[in-house]
Amino acid sequence: MKTIRTLFAATTALCAATAVSATELEVTHWWTSGGEAAAVAEFAKAFNATGHTWKDGAIAGSGGVARPIIISRILGGDPMHATQLNHGRQAEELVEAGLMLDLTDVAEAEGWRDIVHPTSLLDSCTVDGKIYCVPVNIHSWQWMWLSHKAFADAGVDVPSNWDEFVAAAPALEAAGKIPLAMGQQPWQSSGAFGVLTVAIAGPDAWLEVNANKNAEVAAGPEYAKVFQAAAAARAMAANSNVQDWNQATNLVITGQAGGQIMGDWAQGEFQVAGQVAGVDYTCLPGLGVNEVISTGGDAFYFPKNDDPEITKAQKELASLMLSKEVQVAFNLKKGSLPVRGDIDLSAANDCMKKGLDILAKGNILPDGNQVLSADTTGQIEDLMVEFWNDPSITAEDAQARYAEIIASAD
């Protein structure tokens, strides 16, 4: 009996200790589409398995909607415990204000600099030598997604590059298809413009303008070709009357539209819809012209708090997000590339394998969020919204205004 009582007491004490150490963390993010929700559920499942609790704080809408809400809460003294942001300069001012948890001890203990590839992702989390975020994926804008059904219905071959896509547009329209699916959110048109820039003007020109803020190149002949291409894209997207990016992706999935310029997160939507890369849809990195990967993506930041148990749980979550198992499970659902270069992704589909191959070759560019301030990015988005929605704005006028923004960019 004494043994039973002893065991019971020990079990009770263990349960009590576990209950005390179990912590609930509120995690905010803007992953609300079908593919995104399936991916973030992998984070939640892994964290809950530790005995802690993931309190989901999904914010409907895009990052442009969510980020001001997230930042307002942190500045207003009502911070969440962890939050998605894009790795880059979006959290720069919050870090400088001392509002974000320093993760350097975790990063050094686990050798993040040795496993995160490319290391520029970790550099984007680093301010004054200290690491303030955990990068969880590589999301590249540099993709175009093509519907096999749409082109079959139009009686033309699936294009292998941008020029072939433009040439096929009349046949798509004659078949009652929207050539180019495009949502109405500002970041979508701005992002598509960036993809066109890399494909048509080339990576060097893109770097010269975005990284070096060279307004002369922005006003020059290479960028003139980009704006002409953007004007053609605007005409092809004229009847794409949807708002959200995943609604535009659905037009491609259902064969109502020929293609969409969108980042690799679109791949998660094709997966949820049960479509197979190379069978139901084709992906063109760099529009089939300049095959590069931009190393943008998502990272998680952890606002400071005064509770040591919460701080401990925050660091556990940061570590978990970068673990091999979670990196595989999350990125296979998300359609993004892992930030670890030492994991097995044999289950990746054709499009993800294309991205991994490009990454392995070192054909990479920084993401716009890594080289442009939030203010400059906002100005470019405002211009692109006007341009894509108002055909009276000529390519020449838009280019002149764009060059002015670059001339004063920070």
Side-chain angles (χ1 to χ4, degrees):
M1 180 67 69
K2 182 178 181 182
T3 302
I4 294 175
R5 286 175 177 168
T6 302
L7 286 173
F8 178 77
T11 303
T12 302
L14 178 62
C15 291
T18 302
V20 169
S21 62
T23 303
E24 180 181 86
L25 296 186
E26 180 193 4
V27 185
T28 53
H29 59 87
W30 56 85
W31 288 327
T32 56
S33 75
E36 291 173 326
V40 75
E42 294 294 337
F43 281 150
K45 181 170 66 176
F47 187 61
N48 291 339
T50 67
H52 297 305
T53 301
W54 173 292
K55 181 182 178 182
D56 200 71
I59 301 172
S62 66
V65 173
R67 280 189 295 271
I69 297 172
I70 291 167
I71 292 170
S72 178
R73 280 191 56 183
I74 296 171
L75 292 175
D78 179 32
M80 61 298 296
H81 301 117
T83 186
Q84 172 198 7
L85 288 169
N86 300 117
H87 41 68
R89 299 180 61 182
Q90 292 174 355
E92 199 171 63
E93 293 181 2
L94 296 173
V95 170
E96 290 172 348
L99 298 174
M100 290 300 188
L101 181 65
D102 180 0
L103 302 174
T104 306
D105 56 339
V106 181
E108 290 182 347
E110 298 183 357
W112 286 7
R113 189 156 291 279
D114 295 324
I115 61 176
V116 173
H117 176 72
T119 55
S120 59
L121 301 176
L122 204 58
D123 293 340
S124 293
C125 289
T126 305
V127 178
D128 295 332
K130 296 181 179 180
I131 296 170
Y132 290 92
C133 70
V134 51
V136 296
N137 60 14
I138 300 170
H139 260 322
S140 174
W141 250 107
Q142 308 298 317
W143 294 89
M144 188 170 193
W145 309 90
L146 303 171
S147 165
H148 286 199
K149 182 182 186 304
F151 287 97
D153 290 348
V156 292
D157 293 337
V158 176
S160 62
N161 57 52
W162 174 252
D163 288 340
E164 290 179 6
F165 178 79
V166 174
L172 289 168
E173 290 179 325
K177 310 293 183 181
I178 301 166
L180 184 64
M182 176 68 70
Q184 300 301 309
Q185 294 159 319
W187 63 273
Q188 294 184 57
S189 51
S190 179
F193 174 78
V195 177
L196 287 166
T197 300
V198 174
I200 295 169
D204 291 342
W206 185 93
L207 279 170
E208 193 60 34
V209 170
N210 290 271
N212 298 332
K213 315 299 186 295
N214 190 324
E216 288 186 14
V217 174
E222 294 306 312
Y223 262 69
K225 296 175 186 176
V226 178
F227 277 92
Q228 290 295 336
R234 176 176 64 185
M236 289 187 285
N239 294 317
S240 180
N241 298 316
V242 294
Q243 179 70 17
D244 296 335
W245 71 268
N246 52 308
Q247 293 175 318
T249 305
N250 188 61
L251 292 176
V252 179
I253 290 171
T254 56
Q256 299 176 70
Q260 179 190 22
I261 299 173
M262 184 53 58
D264 51 16
W265 48 91
Q267 196 166 189
E269 302 302 297
F270 286 96
Q271 184 168 306
V272 168
Q275 296 210 336
V276 178
V279 176
D280 302 300
Y281 67 97
T282 286
C283 52
L284 293 181
L287 304 186
V289 182
N290 280 310
E291 293 191 352
V292 299
I293 291 294
S294 54
T295 54
D298 302 295
F300 277 82
Y301 289 79
F302 301 83
K304 279 185 178 178
N305 72 93
D306 297 326
D307 186 331
E309 288 300 320
I310 289 178
T311 299
K312 182 179 177 183
Q314 287 174 314
K315 292 185 176 182
E316 286 182 46
L317 178 55
S319 173
L320 191 68
M321 286 175 160
L322 206 54
S323 68
K324 286 186 177 183
E325 296 78 11
V326 175
Q327 275 283 295
V328 171
F330 171 76
N331 284 292
L332 285 178
K333 292 284 180 65
K334 192 70 169 64
S336 48
L337 302 179
V339 298
R340 293 187 69 130
D342 60 349
I343 57 179
D344 178 17
L345 275 175
S346 55
N349 67 20
D350 287 350
C351 291
M352 186 178 287
K353 286 177 180 176
K354 285 183 182 180
L356 289 168
D357 182 59
I358 295 168
L359 185 64
K361 291 176 179 175
N363 296 335
I364 60 175
L365 284 174
D367 185 72
N369 289 316
Q370 294 171 288
V371 292
L372 297 173
S373 70
D375 178 62
T376 298
T377 298
Q379 291 181 56
I380 293 172
E381 288 182 350
D382 289 345
L383 170 61
M384 290 302 156
V385 167
E386 287 186 60
F387 177 70
W388 283 79
N389 288 282
D390 184 356
S392 70
I393 300 176
T394 67
E396 293 77 14
D397 289 343
Q399 183 180 7
R401 290 173 59 184
Y402 177 80
E404 289 177 0
I405 293 172
I406 295 302
S408 60
D410 56 355

